[in-house]
Amino acid sequence: MAESDNVFEDLSGVSDDKSDNPYASLLKICNDDQADIQTRYNLHRNTRNEQQKARILSCNFAGVMIDPILEKLANPSKFPEYCDSRHCLVFWARPTCQIRSLISDIQTRLKEFAPSLWLMPLNNLHMTTLEVAHSLTQPDIDNLQNSIRPQIAAMTDYTLNHRARLVKPMLSYDASALALSFLPAAGEGSSTHDDSYTYHHLRRDLYELSRSTGIDMASRYTVPSSHITVARFVDSTDFTTKNRKDPDPERMKGWIMLLENINAWLRAEYWPKIDGSIKEGGEWIVGQEKGLHCRRGTLWYGGGEDVYLGRGF
């Protein structure tokens, strides 16, 4: 999600025990129990959505938050010389073709309401499993990549033998972006997959593998969330009154109604059914089709450069 007021706040009820690995606290308090881990992820995303809903519908709402960098990048005719200078080094999980198709359907619904919305290109969709560094210079990233190089292949192939399943897709949102979020699976559906190794375990292990190279980790986003950003705001005109200065409360109500309708549709169609079935796109074993993708560069909006793509299954 975009950097709004509480995007990095953990709302799962877990307090940081100052572990060397920021993902260890939740696993410790949950005793590695998959159901408890899912509960914590669910609490975080539901609490955050409720907070953001209240904020957006408040009479004091100042309007959607425009990403100033993306606004310039999305309008090259107005800003022909502009380029993003924030270099990053990450490990992404790439969604399956079924999940990309689901996101395409969601994006179509969002765009019908808000034509000026910026949509993440389908080929750029990703879930950041590990952020090694962000907002650095290219030489800084060069140095980090050289340091982590001995572990890159092992990390990108890690999902071959460490398979974490995600379920229950839902739109998460704030005043600046929207994402399709998932929960770590806990035995749902008719799958025989062993869910004891969760997505949070995967994040912990990748962090540890990176740290073993001796680098200083600079991950911002360690809260219990597994999400794919699908859209961002680069223009406010879809949500303002006729003078195009003030947010329109009726448009904001209509927007929230749309998001809640989409989430009701996702629960009805893509969450596990009573008979254990899950519609294609409703679950994802990380590493399906493609292994983890190590990427670098100015990749804030899905771009950047390939470093190494792991083997899928």
Side-chain angles (χ1 to χ4, degrees):
M1 297 293 287
E3 293 182 54
S4 61
D5 50 353
N6 72 341
V7 71
F8 305 126
E9 180 184 358
D10 189 335
L11 301 173
S12 69
V14 175
S15 58
D16 187 4
D17 64 1
K18 306 304 180 185
S19 167
D20 289 339
N21 189 317
Y23 302 103
S25 300
L26 185 144
L27 296 175
K28 180 179 179 182
I29 201 169
C30 292
N31 294 313
D32 289 306
D33 179 71
Q34 62 206 41
D36 199 1
I37 292 167
Q38 182 184 103
T39 297
R40 298 287 180 169
Y41 269 67
N42 194 43
L43 177 61
H44 174 82
R45 78 172 180 180
N46 285 344
T47 301
R48 191 165 189 281
N49 266 10
E50 286 304 311
Q51 285 184 351
Q52 294 301 318
K53 175 182 175 181
R55 176 189 178 195
I56 291 169
L57 296 180
S58 168
C59 60
N60 298 318
F61 181 57
V64 296
M65 297 172 61
I66 304 305
D67 183 326
I69 295 177
L70 181 57
E71 179 187 20
K72 293 181 176 68
L73 293 173
N75 292 282
S77 60
K78 291 175 62 177
F79 305 96
E81 304 297 325
Y82 187 80
C83 62
D84 189 354
S85 62
R86 302 167 300 171
H87 288 254
C88 312
L89 182 62
V90 299
F91 288 83
W92 285 347
R94 293 292 197 177
T96 62
C97 60
Q98 291 88 354
I99 292 172
R100 292 197 304 274
S101 177
L102 171 59
I103 289 173
S104 179
D105 289 345
I106 292 170
Q107 288 179 329
T108 298
R109 297 184 184 206
L110 297 174
K111 194 79 168 178
E112 287 173 354
F113 187 99
S116 65
L117 196 65
W118 179 85
L119 303 180
M120 180 73 76
L122 295 179
N123 287 337
N124 290 0
L125 290 168
H126 62 275
M127 185 164 64
T128 302
T129 305
L130 181 70
E131 181 180 61
V132 179
H134 67 92
S135 305
L136 298 180
T137 65
Q138 182 173 331
D140 290 333
I141 296 299
D142 289 340
N143 291 334
L144 281 172
Q145 184 180 331
N146 287 335
S147 296
I148 203 174
R149 191 181 305 279
Q151 288 284 23
I152 288 177
M155 292 173 67
T156 54
D157 283 347
Y158 202 72
T159 49
L160 277 175
N161 298 309
H162 300 81
R163 300 185 181 184
R165 189 167 67 108
L166 297 168
V167 295
K168 300 180 180 178
M170 186 175 92
L171 266 185
S172 295
Y173 59 88
D174 59 22
S176 53
L178 302 99
L180 187 67
S181 63
F182 295 82
L183 300 179
E188 296 90 350
S190 56
S191 171
T192 58
H193 184 82
D194 180 4
D195 291 326
S196 59
Y197 185 84
T198 70
Y199 182 67
H200 206 77
H201 289 94
L202 176 62
R203 298 170 79 192
R204 177 202 62 188
D205 290 351
L206 292 174
Y207 186 97
E208 204 60 40
L209 286 168
S210 289
R211 200 164 62 93
S212 70
T213 63
I215 65 171
D216 292 326
M217 297 292 293
S219 299
R220 295 166 304 147
Y221 206 97
T222 60
V223 299
S225 179
S226 44
H227 65 269
I228 301 168
T229 298
V230 301
R232 295 178 185 269
F233 297 107
V234 293
D235 189 307
S236 62
T237 54
D238 295 326
F239 301 94
T240 55
T241 54
K242 289 183 179 180
N243 64 15
R244 297 194 173 184
K245 292 182 180 179
D246 304 315
D248 184 338
E250 292 305 312
R251 289 293 291 173
M252 300 320 304
K253 288 179 184 177
W255 181 244
I256 293 298
M257 183 179 297
L258 171 65
L259 303 185
E260 292 189 337
N261 286 342
I262 290 174
N263 279 338
W265 168 69
L266 288 170
R267 283 191 294 271
E269 293 292 325
Y270 289 92
W271 285 33
K273 298 290 194 298
I274 294 175
D275 63 5
S277 63
I278 301 177
K279 188 175 182 177
E280 285 189 347
E283 68 176 342
W284 174 18
I285 302 176
V286 179
Q288 282 179 288
E289 298 182 358
K290 295 179 180 179
L292 296 180
H293 203 175
C294 182
R295 305 265 294 163
R296 59 164 290 164
T298 55
L299 46 74
W300 217 271
Y301 310 109
E305 309 161 20
D306 291 338
V307 176
Y308 198 89
L309 176 61
R311 291 173 290 166
F313 55 85

